[in-house]
Amino acid sequence: MKFVTCPHIGKRALSEFTYGGELRVEPDIETVSDKQWTDYVFHRHSEPKTQQEWWYHRPTGMWFIFTRNTLTDLISQVKVASRGALHEA
Amino acid sequence: MPLRLLKYAWKKPEEEPRFFPDEKPLKKAYDVVIIGGGGHGMACAYYLAKEHGITNVAVLEQGYIGGGNTGRNTTIVRSNYLTAEGVKFYDQSVKLFEDLSDEFDLNIFYSTRGHFTLAHTDSAMRTMRWRAEVNKHYGIDSEVVDVETIKKDIPYMDVQCNGQHPVMGALYHAPGSVARHDAVAWGYARGAQMRGVEIHQKTQVTEIKTQDGKVKGVQTNRGFIEASKVISMVAGSTPRITKMVDMQTPIEVFPLQACVTEPVKPFMNTIVVSGSLHVYVSQSSRGELVMGASVDPAELHSTRSTLDFVEGLTDQMMDLFPFTSRLKIMRQWAGMSDITPDFAPIMGKTDLEGFYLDAGWGTWGFKATPVSGKTMAYTVANDRDHDLIKPFSLSRFEEFALVGEKGAASVGH
């Protein structure tokens, strides 16, 4: 079983987490065009890379941001998702 | 017959003809280039040559024929989907599958088994009724059956599921079948090659050249090929192909794992699926239990296998079939699936003239092999989307006209 060491909650099994997708910047809903909205909602660049991702820890209800490589599956950084997380994407 | 046998015995031994002739050098130009030598690519080449007379075709495969997801699926063929678009499309596929052995003069071991999708909750029962009604409306043999029928047809199954999640009923789909998956690719490949199509293995496309909004050709590790029509029929790496032409798709790549047990005496003729438990299982003609679950939890571009998968799957399997606790797992493997947000494929023409997509085949690709080859061949030959694939165009996302195919394998309801 794969484990992740997290801030606040320590070493946890990865199976306790639910994947929430890549961290992406939501466009401003007041000014966004249909095309930009489509890109944001649907379009992805699914190729091997290191990316930041949302992961939800079910037992505590906390959201984390993992930095993970999508080729090797190695998680290099774990931090608690904060309000500012979006701006760091 | 004995006389013929005797005559054969006295004859000088002849060399068995090669199944695939030796490869020719790449030509400078082809009418159509197909990227991906799996079932879909081979089927498309076959129907282009057979039904549309287009034989100046090259199929480019970076590995070997059928070595990708064609050889990694759990070989189930069925058409009991949920949406009208899906049901009509997969029904055509089942009908084509039934005649393939004759058509190829090659046994694809097509075996009609009957397919049970178990329901463990009221909401799953509701979905089964819904699917049955949609299926019946389009003339497809599906019905909701009760627990007594299930007990009779699958005697070794514990319908109480160890008391955890008792089976309440099932959707029974009589045409549900299994087939030898790589034989399907081989049959199409041989048929295409006999009609003049060239298949080039170990040939990787590195670039797609365009000019004035039209496809000009492809750059490969063996040189440049000129072609005005290029079809991407890969699985698990569609985003890498579409990136070559600056095209955006909603595809995300997730691994899908499967495994087989050691062979045991035949005890189960049918295919059993449980959406709620995320398992599907059938017994192969060799006696092995072929088992799969849902896709891995997160995006990954790798065909690695995990112990987590086997643990999770066998935990559920032992609830359904308690005696399997004594079986050993023989092999496990993974394939990379192109998952779309609405669990339906992306097919047909694109905004780029001469570039066609047959992608987003997620966990539902093998069963669509014949029909996707046939409809894509039509689309390419006529430069017009075939009626059956119109709902699956890439533009549906921009138009917010999604298909919503919840009948796909291992999608929870």
Side-chain angles (χ1 to χ4, degrees):
Chain A
M1 192 176 280
K2 203 162 173 169
F3 290 91
V4 201
T5 306
C6 298
H8 304 318
I9 59 170
K11 191 177 167 188
R12 296 293 181 139
L14 188 64
S15 56
E16 290 180 7
F17 293 83
T18 302
Y19 177 61
E22 191 185 353
L23 185 62
R24 294 148 53 79
V25 183
E26 187 178 318
D28 179 10
I29 52 167
E30 300 296 330
T31 58
V32 68
S33 69
D34 283 358
K35 172 91 179 61
Q36 286 167 322
W37 189 246
T38 310
D39 284 348
Y40 172 69
V41 175
F42 295 119
H43 291 158
R44 299 287 182 271
H45 299 276
S46 195
E47 55 190 334
K49 61 177 182 290
T50 300
Q51 63 183 22
Q52 291 192 297
E53 299 168 340
W54 294 100
W55 284 83
Y56 178 66
H57 186 243
R58 293 188 303 274
T60 59
M62 285 173 80
W63 281 94
F64 289 89
I65 307 288
F66 290 4
T67 306
R68 188 177 68 98
N69 185 301
T70 58
L71 183 66
T72 59
D73 208 15
L74 290 176
I75 297 162
S76 50
Q77 199 192 18
V78 180
K79 56 186 182 184
V80 180
S82 61
R83 281 204 169 275
L86 270 182
H87 304 293
E88 293 165 26
Chain B
M1 186 64 186
L3 197 70
R4 266 179 61 196
L5 200 66
L6 202 68
K7 239 171 94 180
Y8 182 79
W10 288 112
K11 242 170 66 177
K12 228 174 85 186
E14 278 172 40
E15 203 176 318
E16 187 73 12
R18 283 178 67 94
F19 195 86
F20 294 119
D22 287 333
E23 275 186 22
K24 295 176 186 166
L26 276 180
K27 284 199 284 188
K28 278 202 170 68
Y30 294 91
D31 293 340
V32 178
V33 162
I34 296 172
I35 309 173
H40 285 224
M42 294 307 180
C44 182
Y46 175 85
Y47 291 115
L48 272 174
K50 187 173 175 233
E51 295 186 347
H52 304 282
I54 301 172
T55 55
N56 189 19
V57 177
V59 182
L60 309 181
E61 164 58 47
Q62 66 170 354
Y64 59 94
I65 296 172
N69 288 357
T70 298
R72 293 165 194 268
N73 54 69
T74 46
T75 79
I76 297 167
V77 177
R78 61 186 175 90
S79 61
N80 58 349
Y81 277 70
L82 179 69
T83 60
E85 298 89 338
V87 168
K88 282 191 276 188
F89 181 76
Y90 292 104
D91 181 42
Q92 279 299 311
S93 209
V94 171
K95 286 181 177 143
L96 288 167
F97 258 117
E98 286 167 353
D99 297 330
L100 280 189
S101 288
D102 277 345
E103 200 172 330
F104 295 158
D105 193 17
L106 174 74
N107 193 353
I108 65 159
F109 293 91
Y110 190 81
S111 160
T112 303
R113 300 288 191 87
H115 180 285
F116 286 92
T117 313
L118 306 177
H120 307 259
T121 60
D122 283 332
S123 68
M125 276 306 283
R126 194 193 61 218
T127 313
M128 296 314 154
R129 282 191 208 101
W130 180 9
R131 279 168 73 175
E133 291 310 315
V134 173
N135 286 190
K136 279 186 239 172
H137 182 74
Y138 290 102
I140 285 152
D141 192 354
S142 287
E143 57 180 333
V144 174
V145 293
D146 63 6
V147 180
E148 289 311 309
T149 313
I150 300 171
K151 272 188 189 165
K152 196 165 89 3
D153 283 356
I154 320 168
Y156 292 89
M157 192 170 81
D158 176 11
V159 289
Q160 289 304 315
C161 265
N162 199 19
Q164 300 289 315
H165 15 240
V167 174
M168 298 172 74
L171 178 69
Y172 178 66
H173 177 54
S177 310
V178 289
R180 174 82 194 262
H181 46 200
D182 23 25
V184 175
W186 297 335
Y188 275 123
R190 184 173 67 172
Q193 225 166 22
M194 276 161 41
R195 290 169 175 83
V197 170
E198 287 180 19
I199 297 164
H200 294 282
Q201 304 182 70
K202 293 187 212 154
T203 308
Q204 188 179 24
V205 171
T206 52
E207 218 178 316
I208 298 171
K209 292 266 195 300
T210 60
Q211 200 183 343
D212 309 324
K214 287 181 191 171
V215 166
K216 283 282 158 210
V218 295
Q219 185 69 44
T220 73
N221 57 347
R222 294 170 59 193
F224 180 73
I225 304 171
E226 207 178 296
S228 58
K229 290 182 174 182
V230 172
I231 323 168
S232 170
M233 305 192 89
V234 302
S237 43
T238 303
R240 288 182 236 187
I241 300 285
T242 49
K243 198 183 175 189
M244 295 176 190
V245 291
D246 261 336
M247 194 172 281
Q248 293 257 295
T249 72
I251 291 170
E252 277 190 285
V253 178
F254 287 76
L256 179 66
Q257 301 193 51
C259 61
V260 296
T261 65
E262 58 187 325
V264 287
K265 276 185 182 175
F267 73 96
M268 185 176 65
N269 195 33
T270 53
I271 304 159
V272 178
V273 179
S274 167
S276 316
L277 301 186
H278 297 294
V279 293
Y280 43 92
V281 57
S282 65
Q283 192 173 20
S284 76
S285 45
R286 286 191 293 251
E288 302 157 336
L289 292 186
V290 185
M291 304 183 288
S294 45
V295 292
D296 280 12
E299 179 188 343
L300 191 70
H301 302 263
S302 163
T303 50
R304 61 92 180 90
S305 298
T306 66
L307 181 63
D308 281 6
F309 159 74
V310 177
E311 274 180 340
L313 176 81
T314 49
D315 183 25
Q316 310 283 27
M317 270 302 289
M318 283 189 284
D319 280 352
L320 274 180
F321 296 97
F323 80 91
T324 55
S325 63
R326 298 202 300 274
L327 296 183
K328 293 183 181 71
I329 300 288
M330 291 263 284
R331 300 185 296 281
Q332 72 173 114
W333 66 92
M336 292 189 285
S337 321
D338 288 345
I339 302 287
T340 54
D342 56 357
F343 305 102
I346 298 173
M347 298 178 77
K349 293 176 65 174
T350 64
D351 287 342
L352 175 64
E353 200 181 319
F355 183 70
Y356 304 83
L357 262 183
D358 173 69
W361 282 108
T363 64
W364 44 89
F366 174 66
K367 59 180 72 64
T369 304
V371 72
S372 73
K374 201 170 171 127
T375 52
M376 283 307 290
Y378 174 94
T379 302
V380 172
N382 298 293
D383 198 31
R384 187 174 66 235
D385 283 342
H386 189 283
D387 279 347
L388 273 178
I389 66 167
K390 277 182 183 158
F392 304 135
S393 84
L394 177 60
S395 61
R396 73 176 183 270
F397 299 100
E398 278 166 32
E399 292 153 11
F400 294 93
L402 274 62
V403 180
E405 187 50 86
K406 287 188 188 149
S410 49
V411 177
H413 304 294

